[in-house]
Amino acid sequence: MQRMVRALAVGLAGLVCMGQAAPEGIDYTLTPVLADGALVAVQYDLRFRGDADGETALRLPDSWGGQNELWRGIEGLELVSAGALRDGEGPTSRVVAHRPRARLHLRYRVVQDWQGAPSAEQGNTYRPAIQPGYFHLIGDASLVTPAERELTTPVRFRVRGLPRGWTFASDLEHRGLTLGQVWSSVTVGGDFRILRGGDRNVRVAMRGEWSFADADFTAQVNDIIAAQRRFWGDESTPYLVTVLQLTAQQPGWRSIGGTGLDDAFAFFATPNAEAEYITRTLAHEGLHTWIPRRIGGSPEGDEAAQYWLSEGFTDFYTGRLLVREGVWTPRQFAEDLNSMLAEYGQSTARSEPNTRVLADFWNDSDVRKLPYQRGRLLALIWDGRLRASGRDFDDVVLEMRARVRGGDPLTAVEMFPLAAEGVGLAVGDDVAAHVERGEPILLPEDLLAPCGRIVTREVPRFHRGFDIEATQANNNVIAGVDRALPAYAAGMRDGMVLIRRDGGQIGDAEQEIGYVVRDGDAERTLRYMPRGHGSYTLQRFDVTEGLAGETLARCVAVLGGE
């Protein structure tokens, strides 16, 4: 069993093996920086051999996960060894002048370049979080690296000087660490609880109080990761799940999110996060260990253009594996699918081409959801076609996995149509029509039989009757009330203060909604049908009542794969 010590050295890439020295690598040493007992920064010492021409370029954090100017979290970058450090061609570049092949030692501090504690209003905390009692660092947002080294360059990672009682965890703690792995990583330290379940390779690092028990959450993590490894045919290897708690200014605000990394999952949630949402998020993000990384990976640049595959296929397999493992019933699968179908039906971006996704993925919420929706719906349709011929979609992605293991250099989006063709599935026309051109996707009525049927109908568009984003940005002072909609007829007016929602379902225009508002000194509850202008085509998966016995077993085989 690994023991926590105040000086922890991990990553044995620089050891001598088989009588020969391993290639010279890069050494990182992390040291917490405290003032009056509170953490104020994290110091990194970076040691490596400089380039043969006497000049070595450095790469500073730039943009990742929708965050820009990540270099602002890097302070005090200095050259400790002999030589000179100068600015490069921009804020993300520095150049070291030195003797040819000299051993270089650089030092810098990672600081929090934003105010306060991580909050739900800010979303997922991808920027460095440096709080008095802990730190949370994503590699892409915190690591300075030599700019021109091969991705296979060995890396060694250490942590020193942890205060007494602090814990530490990172997915950089493993043998054979390389430069290509350090950016897609998460490192935490402080008052985190480091937990293990049945699989000792799987660790959970979490802090704060939650609505669920540590043991239950750790067991769920173990079960989900084990199921995914069984599907992909992988053995147990080290895997880290971090859980960072978000504050919320508004009572009842719930936020759950995260990101899958190379061999880790960074999870962000408010303390009132519910188990079913946690399960889904864990399952989705855990699958990113394989999709798209181990079925071909993403192309260099313009990554959002292939999110229909990387995110859409991940959403498809999230539902499939949760049903296969018995975590979800067919009805829970339907509830999740129907929520997505409702959002897709009302999406303002539904008919946008893929070029719009590339341009506005991080700028528009409907655009951001679109590749998830398209990829999942297409995978459902393609799986249905393959089931009619005695196969299923698993045959395609497992073939892609096998090709990668065999050395195929193609990216996932390049490899996918070839692997599909190999099992008798033609996908080119569908991708051109529904991904590239943006033609709406409709599921066939009998696609998920015998579980139930896909029902298609025209329904009113959902609208609260006021501008929720402008209202939230205005400290919950209601703004943008539409005089032509039912909310206005019910008494909603600009300038009232929104206190809370009281009934109804966001996205469902056929359920009465209620809002408690402050009108002057009085509180009022306004109830109305949240209908907007026009209608849209809504699809819904209606599960057959009373599924049991052989019919239930065949349904589970359809939803969960054979």
Side-chain angles (χ1 to χ4, degrees):
M1 179 183 294
Q2 195 175 41
R3 299 178 61 188
M4 295 303 302
V5 294
R6 295 189 68 188
L8 178 65
V10 293
L12 304 179
L15 289 180
V16 174
C17 180
M18 300 295 290
Q20 295 184 354
E24 285 198 78
I26 303 168
D27 286 358
Y28 285 94
T29 302
L30 179 156
T31 307
V33 179
L34 287 85
D36 297 326
L39 183 72
V40 295
V42 168
Q43 176 179 297
Y44 273 112
D45 285 86
L46 173 59
R47 295 176 174 86
F48 60 96
R49 193 171 293 281
D51 293 346
D53 64 359
E55 285 197 346
T56 299
L58 302 176
R59 169 192 182 271
L60 276 66
D62 187 8
S63 299
W64 184 82
Q67 300 292 315
N68 298 310
E69 299 184 345
L70 290 168
W71 46 268
R72 294 187 180 278
I74 306 299
E75 287 189 352
L77 180 60
E78 61 175 329
L79 181 63
V80 179
S81 57
L85 179 65
R86 68 173 189 269
D87 291 342
E89 296 183 353
T92 63
S93 176
R94 301 288 189 278
V95 177
V96 183
H98 53 81
R99 290 183 293 102
R101 300 285 297 159
R103 289 290 298 176
L104 304 180
H105 177 188
L106 292 116
R107 178 175 293 156
Y108 66 94
R109 293 183 303 278
V110 181
V111 299
Q112 182 173 303
D113 65 341
W114 46 277
Q115 297 298 314
S119 69
E121 289 78 8
Q122 294 170 325
N124 294 346
T125 309
Y126 294 149
R127 305 186 85 88
I130 308 292
Q131 294 291 301
Y134 72 89
F135 60 86
H136 181 284
L137 304 174
I138 299 291
D140 268 298
S142 59
L143 293 178
V144 175
T145 59
E148 299 176 0
R149 295 301 161 88
E150 296 290 334
L151 297 181
T152 55
T153 302
V155 172
R156 182 168 61 175
F157 184 87
R158 299 181 177 95
V159 59
R160 297 187 186 280
L162 285 178
R164 186 178 301 278
W166 276 35
T167 59
F168 172 84
S170 174
D171 63 326
L172 299 176
E173 301 173 79
H174 63 77
R175 297 174 183 269
L177 184 65
T178 65
L179 182 59
Q181 297 170 306
V182 300
W183 295 299
S184 184
S185 65
V186 60
T187 298
V188 302
D191 58 353
F192 284 85
R193 303 186 293 279
I194 311 300
L195 312 167
R196 296 180 190 266
D199 184 344
R200 306 302 290 175
N201 275 324
V202 177
R203 292 178 297 162
V204 174
M206 61 193 305
R207 60 181 305 279
E209 299 301 319
W210 298 86
S211 61
F212 47 81
D214 285 2
D216 293 342
F217 181 78
T218 304
Q220 190 173 76
V221 169
N222 272 254
D223 290 346
I224 289 172
I225 293 173
Q228 293 173 351
R229 285 173 172 160
R230 281 195 298 273
F231 174 75
W232 294 103
D234 282 2
E235 296 180 353
S236 173
T237 55
Y239 194 87
L240 173 66
V241 174
T242 62
V243 188
L244 187 63
Q245 192 169 98
L246 305 177
T247 63
Q249 295 178 2
Q250 299 183 34
W253 185 304
R254 183 182 64 207
S255 178
I256 301 171
T259 183
L261 302 164
D262 188 60
D263 45 17
F265 165 54
F267 189 78
F268 309 89
T270 47
N272 59 350
E274 297 174 359
E276 59 265 33
Y277 296 104
I278 293 169
T279 297
R280 194 195 192 286
T281 304
L282 282 171
H284 177 97
E285 296 299 341
L287 278 164
H288 277 312
T289 297
W290 294 273
I291 305 173
R293 289 186 182 91
R294 297 179 185 176
I295 58 171
S298 301
E300 291 291 333
D302 296 342
E303 187 174 339
Q306 59 80 55
Y307 282 167
W308 64 271
L309 186 152
S310 61
E311 296 294 353
F313 287 12
T314 298
D315 249 5
F316 171 79
Y317 274 103
T318 296
R320 166 157 284 193
L321 294 185
L322 287 174
V323 171
R324 182 178 297 185
E325 294 300 315
V327 179
W328 273 3
T329 65
R331 194 162 300 281
Q332 288 172 300
F333 178 96
E335 290 172 356
D336 183 76
L337 178 60
N338 288 336
S339 177
M340 186 274 288
L341 287 170
E343 289 186 338
Y344 178 66
Q346 297 187 78
S347 172
T348 60
R350 178 175 176 173
S351 299
E352 293 288 341
N354 208 35
T355 51
R356 175 75 190 285
V357 175
L358 184 60
D360 288 329
F361 181 83
W362 296 109
N363 305 322
D364 185 290
S365 60
D366 280 354
V367 171
R368 188 158 53 249
K369 295 172 184 176
L370 194 58
Y372 293 74
Q373 296 161 348
R374 285 175 173 169
R376 183 182 184 183
L377 293 175
L378 287 172
L380 281 166
I381 290 171
W382 290 328
D383 183 61
R385 292 177 189 168
L386 285 169
R387 279 189 279 108
S389 64
R391 312 193 72 155
D392 65 15
F393 201 64
D394 297 358
D395 295 327
V396 181
V397 296
L398 293 177
E399 170 63 17
M400 294 170 71
R401 173 78 161 133
R403 288 181 179 224
V404 170
R405 282 173 163 163
D408 193 322
L410 296 178
T411 65
V413 76
E414 293 168 335
M415 191 187 304
F416 169 62
L418 302 178
E421 183 179 359
V423 298
L425 176 67
V427 299
D429 289 346
D430 287 335
V431 172
H434 302 299
V435 175
E436 300 303 333
R437 296 197 297 272
E439 296 175 14
I441 303 167
L442 290 176
L443 301 178
E445 181 179 4
D446 62 349
L447 178 65
L448 299 177
C451 302
R453 65 190 186 100
I454 305 294
V455 178
T456 305
R457 59 194 181 94
E458 289 293 309
V459 298
R461 288 192 175 277
F462 173 87
H463 199 290
R464 295 173 177 84
F466 60 95
D467 188 330
I468 185 62
E469 293 182 356
T471 298
Q472 291 173 340
N474 194 31
N475 294 319
N476 280 350
V477 176
I478 292 172
V481 174
D482 189 328
R483 291 171 174 261
L485 296 182
Y488 184 83
M492 187 77 72
R493 297 292 186 271
D494 288 341
M496 292 179 173
V497 177
L498 178 63
I499 298 176
R500 65 181 181 275
R501 178 164 59 89
D502 182 27
Q505 178 67 43
I506 300 302
D508 188 347
E510 298 180 303
Q511 283 191 48
E512 184 181 70
I513 201 166
Y515 282 106
V516 179
V517 301
R518 182 177 298 113
D519 183 7
D521 294 331
E523 282 192 8
R524 301 172 58 191
T525 300
L526 306 178
R527 299 190 184 278
Y528 55 92
M529 299 303 291
R531 293 178 176 174
H533 299 281
S535 63
Y536 68 98
T537 301
L538 172 67
Q539 289 201 297
R540 178 180 175 82
F541 173 33
D542 282 352
V543 177
T544 301
E545 293 292 337
L547 282 175
E550 178 59 28
T551 304
L552 175 59
R554 288 193 290 121
C555 171
V556 169
V558 166
L559 302 182
E562 302 242 324

